[in-house]
Amino acid sequence: GEAVLRAATHPKQPPTRMALQHFDATYSAQLGALWPSIRVALLSERKYGALLNHFAHNLDVEELQARGCKDFISNGEAFMFPASADHRSEFRPEEDSSSVSTVNHGGGSQQPSSLRLSPNIRCLVFPRGDVTRFRPARPDKFGLLSYYLLDAASILPCLALDVQESHTVLDLCAAPGGKALALLQTQSVSECPALSRSSSNSIQSGFLCANDSSVSRTSRLKRVLHSYVPKALLTDDKLRITSFDGTIWGEIERNSFDRVSSGHPIIFILLLWRHTNLIPASLQVLVDVPCNTDRHSLMENDNNIFSRSRIGERRSLPKLQAELLLAGILAACPGGDVLYSTCTLSANQNQAVVQQAVQLAEEQHGIQLQVISLCPLTQMFSNTFHFAPNLHLGEMVIPHLAANFGPIYLCKLRRLT
Ligand code: SAM
């Protein structure tokens, strides 16, 4: 409210300035003593990671490794399991069955999960404190690019989702496609659809549905996937790219799906999941919502959510986020996992949204959810990222000058009913 008041009295303030004022007011209250150092990091150049494209004949990897780059994922595993540093073993922490609880009213303990990280997902980063930039990726002889540059912390939601090669995944807000690409890295070319297609039901092999409501951003997503993934994995029985308002899953649940074209593939798949016995062995849903995008809001005046013309949109973000998360929860079958993520520090757009969606799922749909603890993940990658201490719900990577990744918030929910 304070920031809006200031906007009224100082109409010429650029959006980046408005964002900083807003963050100073809200984050200093929310993060206390942590805020000043996070603020410095947020205002400094961000650090990227290179998500390696295992489909490309990667010429750049050795050179990057010679310059000190390391795959933070296998590094994390080596840190946790020094004896088995060379291969990715299943990571099952001690599970405390007494800690099982649902998240009524956002409280309760979190259930530990196990991670079976695909050896195909690799992300190179320069060491702590090294701010060397990556140069743009080069195409291999088939035209596939060797790596995708992104905030290395944005791989964490994909790792937390624990996608296996046979899983069916819905990426509800997928554009421009960094996370979709990371999810697709779990597929291997040898399992190409022509070989793995079963006679009756091809959606039981690994399948990704990548959706984004923005048509222009969906085009960008398509371009990205075509620059990185071989055509054999971009076939209809492996991948669908759609451009729906992700909140329509709520409509479907209320059985009003006639209004949203029940003939469309994504709706068709959903109905198949819900109303036939073709339920995939496992359905994982990634809900990577639009948010304050803290870094962008502090650095770029173009397309800035803090511009005066977007005040209404910004204020309604938590509502949209909760609707999208609820839609993701509804799309996941019982037993399926839902991963909520943002790139903001805002507790209103993180923990509060998860609490609200969990409550709505229970009250309006009778769905029970369990929060899955991401402690194994934070322990494994504590060498690479700084995590916010003592978050009561989910985990958050906080920017730090020596490891300037994030912010990334993530929370994993399992549908029990
Ligand atoms: N997951 C993407 C990645 O890793 O590259 C980034 C997603 S971005 C944080 C959020 C996306 O949500 C935007 O591309 C935006 O177009 C999309 N979006 C906004 N409202 C939506 C809605 N109602 N349904 C589906 N997508 C929506």
Side-chain angles (χ1 to χ4, degrees), residues 45-243:
E45 189 170 314
R46 75 184 319 165
K47 195 165 169 171
Y48 282 92
L51 170 66
L52 292 183
N53 183 15
H54 93 97
F55 303 119
H57 293 261
N58 223 313
L59 307 165
D60 297 317
V61 180
E62 276 175 24
E63 187 201 320
L64 285 171
Q65 283 171 336
R67 289 167 60 204
C69 263
K70 290 215 164 80
D71 170 25
F72 84 81
I73 304 170
S74 39
N75 244 21
E77 286 172 316
F79 167 69
M80 292 298 290
F81 312 104
S84 59
D86 285 346
H87 61 95
R88 291 195 177 168
S89 52
E90 182 169 344
F91 178 22
R92 254 180 217 291
E94 293 290 302
E95 295 204 3
D96 172 8
S97 56
S98 65
S99 71
V100 176
S101 85
T102 54
V103 279
N104 297 328
H105 319 299
S109 51
Q110 306 188 1
Q111 173 73 359
S113 75
S114 57
L115 298 172
R116 293 151 293 167
L117 303 180
S118 163
N120 294 340
I121 305 189
R122 293 191 294 157
C123 183
L124 298 186
V125 293
F126 285 99
R128 272 183 78 80
D130 183 336
V131 294
T132 309
R133 293 181 192 155
F134 290 97
R135 62 161 189 227
R138 289 182 298 181
D140 70 3
K141 61 181 172 183
F142 300 109
L144 295 179
L145 292 172
S146 51
Y147 54 77
Y148 182 89
L149 294 180
L150 40 54
D151 184 332
S154 69
I155 306 276
L156 295 179
C158 304
L159 297 178
L161 206 47
D162 201 11
V163 170
Q164 305 299 312
E165 199 153 342
S166 63
H167 282 171
T168 297
V169 185
L170 169 61
D171 184 352
L172 202 55
C173 307
K179 294 182 191 71
L181 192 58
L183 293 169
L184 282 170
Q185 296 296 315
T186 58
Q187 309 282 319
S188 54
V189 209
S190 60
E191 290 291 318
C192 93
L195 303 172
S196 67
R197 183 181 298 154
S198 69
S199 53
S200 58
N201 180 14
S202 57
I203 67 168
Q204 289 209 336
S205 70
F207 181 85
L208 175 69
C209 185
N211 177 72
D212 198 285
S213 62
S214 153
V215 174
S216 59
R217 288 176 63 94
T218 306
S219 309
R220 199 166 142 211
L221 166 74
K222 283 184 188 157
R223 279 199 303 279
V224 166
L225 295 185
H226 280 91
S227 316
Y228 286 87
V229 184
K231 288 201 170 54
L233 288 175
L234 295 175
T235 53
D236 268 2
D237 58 347
K238 281 297 210 189
L239 174 77
R240 289 286 152 94
I241 300 174
T242 57
S243 207

Side-chain angles (χ1 to χ4, degrees), residues 35-52:
W35 172 235
S37 62
I38 296 178
R39 184 186 197 269
V40 170
L42 271 178
L43 291 168
S44 308
E45 189 170 314
R46 75 184 319 165
K47 195 165 169 171
Y48 282 92
L51 170 66
L52 292 183

Side-chain angles (χ1 to χ4, degrees), residues 255-277:
N255 283 332
S256 52
F257 47 76
D258 292 345
R259 290 200 284 126
V260 288
S261 159
S262 59
H264 194 279
I266 194 168
I267 308 296
F268 169 74
I269 289 160
L270 206 89
L271 293 176
L272 213 63
W273 287 345
R274 291 200 159 278
H275 299 296
T276 75
N277 53 8

